[in-house]
Amino acid sequence: MMNLPELSTLPSTDAMLQQESVRLLIEQFGRSVVLQGIHLILDKIRTEVKDGCPPPGLEIICAQVGQQIHEWFQPSLLPVINATGIILHTNLGRAPLSRETLAAMQTAAGAYSNLEYDLKSGKRGSRLVHAEALLQKLTGAESALVVNNNAAAVLLTLSALAHNKPVVIANSQLVEIGGGFRVPDVMRQSGAKLIPIGTTNRIHISDYEQAVRDHPAMILTAHHSNFKIIGFTTEPELKQIALLAHQAGIPLVHDLGSGAMLDTSVFGLGHEPTVQETLSAGADVVCFSGDKLMGGPQAGIILGRADLLAKIKRHPLARAVRADKLCLAGVSATLVHYLKGEALEKIPIWQMISMDVDFIHRRAERWQAGLGMGEIIPGFSMVGGGSLPEESQPTWLLSLKVGKVNQFLSKLRAMPQPLIARILDDHIVLDPRTVFPEQDQIVVSLLNQALQS
Ligand SMILES: *Cc1c(COP(=O)(O)O)cnc(C)c1O
């Protein structure tokens, strides 16, 4: 091995541990981590010296150790400011939660609870009861179950009700929702035997009539969450399919996807079918997400007939996909907003959906004034999250002309509080709708920093 004289000028670990800056690191991060940092940096420097680099001084080496350790402790999951105008942005974590929901989750997280403990009898209770009563009251469903997410809800429902049995589904509904959720794959995983009927663009009630003659275990329907079939298309109403299923003595299971509990069409959007409508149309089991239009934490919610829900709850997979106490606390607190009729005021995504456009305009003006530049232009916000594709709401955007748009966007993403904007016609545009009003000042200051650097 080469033995360069320069290598012997590098400080020893002991010498480094004597340095004031390193002692401070030990206080902050603990000795073991600091030792790991020192070894890593000294190894790196030895290699560099062997490659002909001059050995750095002691202070520089200590600074490198500090930088490395800070990097290790930097959380990778960071809050960001969403100025994209996409309300349920799946990549940005879907629905932000109401204050009351956060408080309920925090309480559940930091204390023991009666999660599976019956306070009346002092005996073992069931975690299933916590959100169930609220869901029953709100939707009229006989029974309810909360699991990890809607993919799990659909998988569990099919596993419990149709393992090794034929399930009828329209070809037009064998869809991919995104993030790897493909209805046919989930069906196969559950052990259900797929019986696709109809064509890609058209399915008639007569197709269902014919299919039920072969005695399938159920009919599955799935909401076209994230796409629209347009042109020469037809699909029977859910009500007709439900009637047919019931005449044949089999259940209709509907994967609703978004789980809206309020009517989106009031806010200039298309109508997203609601949970309540789906149940009244006659679906026997309905599955949907907690963190889409319900505006709560990540969860999958299964509602419906008590006898079917009892089978679903008993299935071994139910244990594998069960909701934790934070989720149950969060789902319950979010549902309370609907029961009290205060969802529009309290649930952030509904505040955004129902935001007054004049208010959006005033905020865009304030941003503009804070920057001393930019133009306010009309634009569109989207619901996103696999809901209401093609549908948008009018909004006002702050549009900025900057030199290199992509470079500017990446500068905004690199800020201590990353700001996510988008490009429109070679301009940077920012939509106040998805930015919390209390973040307005930060947005202005981040933009100013990025413009000046
Ligand atoms: C979003 C969606 C899913 C998946 O839900 P997750 O909660 O993301 O697991 C399944 N089915 C439909 C129709 C959806 O829209």
Side-chain angles (χ1 to χ4, degrees):
M1 192 177 119
M2 265 193 305
N3 216 347
L4 291 170
E6 283 88 346
L7 286 178
S8 61
T9 68
L10 291 178
S12 66
T13 302
D14 280 340
M16 290 194 63
L17 289 171
Q18 300 308 313
Q19 291 297 303
E20 184 56 21
S21 65
V22 174
R23 276 212 291 260
L24 287 176
L25 285 173
I26 291 176
E27 260 176 47
Q28 206 181 341
F29 297 105
R31 190 180 164 87
S32 137
V33 167
V34 174
L35 277 172
Q36 280 183 51
I38 291 175
H39 293 150
L40 187 90
I41 295 297
L42 283 179
D43 278 352
K44 198 180 90 196
I45 291 172
R46 267 185 218 109
T47 314
E48 286 168 1
V49 169
K50 282 178 199 160
D51 288 345
C53 299
L58 182 56
E59 267 176 38
I60 292 181
I61 300 177
C62 292
Q64 286 187 13
V65 170
Q67 204 178 352
Q68 175 65 66
I69 293 171
H70 277 101
E71 228 169 80
W72 281 341
F73 281 84
Q74 183 68 39
S76 106
L77 186 63
L78 297 170
V80 307
I81 298 175
N82 175 12
T84 65
I86 301 168
I87 297 172
L88 289 168
H89 199 304
T90 295
N91 301 144
L92 302 184
R94 289 196 186 151
L97 303 176
S98 76
R99 226 182 311 220
E100 290 76 5
T101 302
L102 287 177
M105 291 174 84
Q106 186 167 9
T107 305
Y112 293 110
S113 62
N114 62 338
L115 179 65
E116 292 187 351
Y117 185 77
D118 183 342
L119 289 172
K120 274 199 198 114
S121 67
K123 295 206 173 99
R124 190 191 164 146
S126 165
R127 74 173 60 214
L128 305 184
V129 302
H130 297 294
E132 181 162 24
L134 289 169
L135 284 164
Q136 286 166 327
K137 268 199 210 74
L138 198 60
T139 66
E142 287 176 13
S143 181
L145 174 64
V146 182
V147 295
N148 231 319
N149 53 38
N150 189 33
V154 176
L155 176 66
L156 171 62
T157 300
L158 288 170
S159 305
L161 304 182
H163 186 73
N164 281 336
K165 292 182 194 153
V167 171
V168 168
I169 180 158
N171 270 307
S172 57
Q173 296 175 359
L174 285 172
V175 299
E176 174 170 325
I177 302 301
F181 184 93
R182 286 183 165 182
V183 174
D185 292 343
V186 173
M187 291 181 73
R188 269 190 283 275
Q189 279 302 321
S190 73
K193 290 191 203 125
L194 212 76
I195 313 283
I197 59 170
T199 61
T200 306
N201 56 330
R202 288 170 76 84
I203 169 97
H204 303 276
I205 196 68
S206 56
D207 293 320
Y208 282 105
E209 272 162 8
Q210 206 167 352
V212 297
R213 286 192 203 127
D214 295 331
H215 307 292
M218 66 157 82
I219 297 177
L220 176 68
T221 48
H223 181 50
H224 298 173
S225 291
N226 54 356
F227 73 108
K228 227 177 188 165
I229 303 187
I230 53 168
F232 185 57
T233 69
T234 184
E235 239 175 48
E237 278 186 39
L238 203 60
K239 209 190 285 187
Q240 288 177 282
I241 304 173
L243 201 64
L244 188 84
H246 298 159
Q247 280 164 359
I250 56 172
L252 169 65
V253 173
H254 186 63
D255 176 10
L256 179 60
S258 197
M261 299 204 180
L262 298 176
D263 182 1
T264 48
S265 70
V266 179
F267 306 104
L269 291 161
H271 179 69
E272 179 79 10
T274 66
V275 176
Q276 295 89 338
E277 284 162 8
T278 308
L279 285 167
S280 3
D284 299 282
V285 177
V286 181
C287 303
F288 58 95
S289 297
D291 54 351
K292 291 184 178 171
L293 280 171
M294 195 182 104
Q298 180 188 304
I301 296 177
I302 311 175
L303 297 178
R305 251 167 59 191
D307 59 328
L308 299 174
L309 264 285
K311 270 193 196 164
I312 294 170
K313 290 175 184 177
R314 271 201 309 271
H315 192 275
L317 251 189
R319 173 65 176 78
V321 299
R322 74 178 183 187
D324 76 314
K325 59 189 177 185
L326 304 196
C327 170
L328 290 168
V331 164
S332 301
T334 304
L335 292 172
V336 164
H337 293 314
Y338 290 97
L339 265 181
K340 287 185 172 173
E342 59 181 27
L344 284 185
E345 296 85 54
K346 299 277 192 169
I347 298 178
I349 63 149
W350 284 102
Q351 289 173 337
M352 292 170 185
I353 290 172
S354 63
M355 197 175 281
D356 179 33
V357 283
D358 293 334
F359 179 56
I360 295 176
H361 194 272
R362 284 199 298 281
R363 291 175 58 204
E365 276 175 340
R366 249 178 274 148
W367 293 4
Q368 185 190 37
L371 297 179
M373 68 173 283
E375 213 188 323
I376 297 171
I377 60 166
F380 294 98
S381 319
M382 309 262 292
V383 172
S387 326
L388 298 165
E390 308 269 303
E391 295 283 346
S392 54
Q393 289 179 290
T395 192
W396 293 100
L397 305 169
L398 179 63
S399 164
L400 301 174
K401 178 92 198 126
V402 297
K404 292 182 175 144
V405 278
N406 278 308
Q407 212 172 9
F408 193 78
L409 280 189
S410 72
K411 225 189 263 179
L412 292 176
R413 290 196 303 268
M415 292 281 167
Q417 168 95 300
L419 174 58
I420 315 295
R422 60 192 171 96
I423 299 172
L424 185 69
D425 299 332
D426 224 24
H427 284 65
I428 300 289
V429 294
L430 300 112
D431 188 340
R433 189 190 292 274
T434 48
V435 175
F436 294 100
E438 59 269 26
Q439 293 176 324
D440 282 353
Q441 280 198 335
I442 308 173
V443 168
V444 170
S445 110
L446 291 172
L447 286 171
N448 269 322
Q449 279 177 53
L451 286 165
Q452 281 153 22
S453 65

